[in-house]
Amino acid sequence: MRILDEVNHEIGSLVRAARRVAVLSGAGISAESGVPTFREVQTGLWERFSAEDLATGEAFAHDPALVWTWYRWRQSLLLQVEPNPGHSALAGWQRRLREAGGELSIATQNVDDLHERAGAEVLAHLHGSIFAHRCAECSEPAELAAPEYDGLEPPEQPEQPPACACCGSSLRPGVVWFGEMLPLKAFELTSDAIRQADLVVVVGTSGLVQPAASLPLLALERGTPLIEVNPEETEISEVMDYCLRGPSGTMLPAVAESAR
Ligand code: BJW
Ligand code: ZN
């Protein structure tokens, strides 16, 4: 493992030679857009809870209004932020590789849509989408208007989740909570993309949450080079060939530029 604070010659050569690139992204890539990462301390209504406490079916069953309002507030925050240079760099690299007959696939653990808003196509949302809703009982999908909070300050009062039009049970966000299975198709597409890649880039994830954190290990089967982009050491840094220690908003544009 080589720890670097800038893109060097070796990384440049790997990136230039790569025709099939697989990217796994996590909350860190959206941090510079102003989206809190998953393991940051919370404020307001939720300051007594960690995000991990709230992202469970048990929490939703125990206090549906609290959990529902947390997700609606996060939606409203996302509607007020923009993709950052890290998202844009991946989108541009994907476009250029495709024009040259290659492929860059993006699998994200993020429930936001910032990759798409930067112009990228996302192969897989491994943990679902915060903008999708469905019935917690019968799984019927539901469309909802945007939340009315201003997005910056958490609301003062929790609101109850709306009722399903089919069965009257509570709606829930279309995300994957702890203890729930990941969408099989998304998981398989990501596994295939990593197995077929000639370069794997892991960006902005702590590598703590399974099974997503183990997906990059599939690259080891064929000895595919692995690059991590993260200002901090992570649970999966050990298996990386290169660790670029810096924010993705700076590092990814430099990596993508070295592909030219
Ligand atoms: C920057 C940066 C910058 C900052 N630039 N970087 C024991 C062992 C193994 C597994 C388990 C176990 N006990 C339980 C499990 C299973 C569990 C799990 O993994 N738990 C661990 C916590 C131990 N996993 C599951 O339950 C999964 N399902 C499953 O296993 O199904 C099988 C099963 C079924 C039934 C019973 C039992 C098993 C489901 C996991 C679902 C995760 N869902 C969440 C919430 C989604 C909805 C929402 O957003 O609210 O997904 S949890 C949360 O973590 C979210 C994230 O996608 C995910 C990963 O977080 P991520 O992206 O890594 O963010 P952070 O905050 O952790 O890290 C940010 C990183 O960014 C840091 O490294 C920073 O340094 C970096 N950073 N600024 C670049 N500018
Ligand atoms: Zn229903």
Side-chain angles (χ1 to χ4, degrees), residues 194-213:
I194 291 177
R195 284 204 176 93
Q196 290 160 14
D198 45 30
L199 176 66
V200 174
V201 180
V202 181
V203 49
T205 178
S206 57
L208 284 165
V209 175
Q210 300 293 349

Side-chain angles (χ1 to χ4, degrees), residues 26 36 41 51-52 56-57 90 93 105 110 124 151 161 164 166 174 186 243:
V41 176
E52 280 189 352
T56 69
L90 288 181
W93 187 8
S105 58
N110 299 345
C164 167
C166 289
C243 295

Side-chain angles (χ1 to χ4, degrees), residues 135 137-140 164 166-169:
C135 175
E137 285 301 322
C138 76
S139 298
E140 180 72 11
C164 167
C166 289
C167 75
S169 299

Side-chain angles (χ1 to χ4, degrees), residues 31-32 50 64 69 72 77 98 140 144-145 154 173 186 199 211 221 241:
E32 289 160 87
S50 71
T69 306
R72 290 294 268 172
L77 177 69
R98 286 180 172 181
E140 180 72 11
L144 290 185
L199 176 66
E221 290 171 7
D241 296 287

Side-chain angles (χ1 to χ4, degrees), residues 22-196:
V23 176
L24 175 69
S25 70
I29 196 171
S30 298
E32 289 160 87
S33 293
V35 183
T37 64
F38 215 75
R39 286 169 179 87
E40 272 171 45
V41 176
Q42 306 214 92
T43 55
L45 256 184
W46 302 286
E47 67 188 5
R48 288 184 301 115
F49 304 92
S50 71
E52 280 189 352
D53 291 336
L54 295 165
T56 69
E58 290 76 27
F60 185 65
H62 176 72
D63 193 342
L66 184 82
V67 173
W68 175 258
T69 306
W70 184 54
Y71 279 95
R72 290 294 268 172
W73 170 72
R74 288 174 56 203
Q75 277 180 34
S76 68
L77 177 69
L78 285 169
L79 293 171
Q80 295 185 37
V81 303
E82 298 294 334
N84 66 57
H87 298 105
S88 302
L90 288 181
W93 187 8
Q94 182 182 63
R95 193 187 64 249
R96 290 192 299 277
L97 254 185
R98 286 180 172 181
E99 282 165 5
E103 178 60 352
L104 181 146
S105 58
I106 300 173
T108 185
Q109 297 169 80
N110 299 345
V111 297
D112 68 43
D113 60 352
L114 294 176
H115 282 299
E116 288 92 339
R117 281 164 54 198
E121 189 183 317
V122 173
L123 177 74
H125 274 276
L126 290 162
H127 294 159
S129 163
I130 199 167
F131 296 106
H133 305 98
R134 65 171 191 270
C135 175
E137 285 301 322
C138 76
S139 298
E140 180 72 11
E143 297 277 334
L144 290 185
E148 285 173 8
Y149 320 126
D150 76 5
L152 299 176
E153 290 302 314
E156 282 171 18
Q157 294 295 326
E159 60 170 276
Q160 289 296 333
C164 167
C166 289
C167 75
S169 299
S170 294
L171 296 185
R172 58 161 285 178
V175 301
V176 181
W177 282 327
F178 285 114
E180 295 181 336
M181 304 298 284
L182 273 58
L184 187 60
K185 180 96 183 151
F187 192 77
E188 285 176 350
L189 285 169
T190 308
S191 307
D192 290 347
I194 291 177
R195 284 204 176 93
Q196 290 160 14

